[in-house]
Amino acid sequence: PGPRAPDATQLRFDDFQLLDRLGGGGMGEVYRARQLSLGRDVALKLIRLEQLYFSNARERFRREALAAAQLQHPGLLPIHSVGEANGVPYLA
């Protein structure tokens, strides 16, 4: 089976309970989510499913996560986790 979007009826994606959609851009959608294993709220960015049709999309998303993890600024959230679930890359 191919990539699947988070199930909107269950609002659960891997270790995350999706709470609210915060916004989106050309590459992804951002949700306020609860990381269940650690009991904390995070911003969860999921790659847009239509982006997965482009051969370099996963690599671009991975590079974005690596670059963001190197940044420290009061206006930026730190990267806690990166991964893939149900064929959909994410960063938290």
Side-chain angles (χ1 to χ4, degrees):
R4 294 190 333 246
D7 185 341
T9 61
Q10 294 181 17
L11 298 178
R12 176 121 186 235
F13 182 77
D14 199 34
D15 184 33
F16 303 94
Q17 184 78 32
L18 303 182
L19 303 173
D20 301 302
R21 182 181 179 276
L22 298 176
M27 186 86 184
E29 300 271 340
V30 179
Y31 297 87
R32 184 172 68 91
R34 184 96 174 139
Q35 187 174 13
L36 300 172
S37 62
L38 297 176
R40 65 180 173 190
D41 286 358
V42 298
L44 181 68
K45 183 174 185 179
L46 307 175
I47 195 169
R48 288 183 183 275
L49 293 182
E50 62 270 16
Q51 289 293 320
L52 295 175
Y53 291 108
F54 299 102
S55 60
N56 66 341
R58 288 177 193 277
E59 178 59 24
R60 283 180 51 216
F61 197 80
R62 187 186 73 77
R63 281 194 322 261
E64 176 186 338
L66 288 173
Q70 301 302 313
L71 300 175
Q72 292 183 346
H73 186 275
L76 298 175
L77 295 173
I79 302 296
H80 290 296
S81 175
V82 296
E84 187 173 309
N86 300 324
V88 180
Y90 68 84
L91 62 90

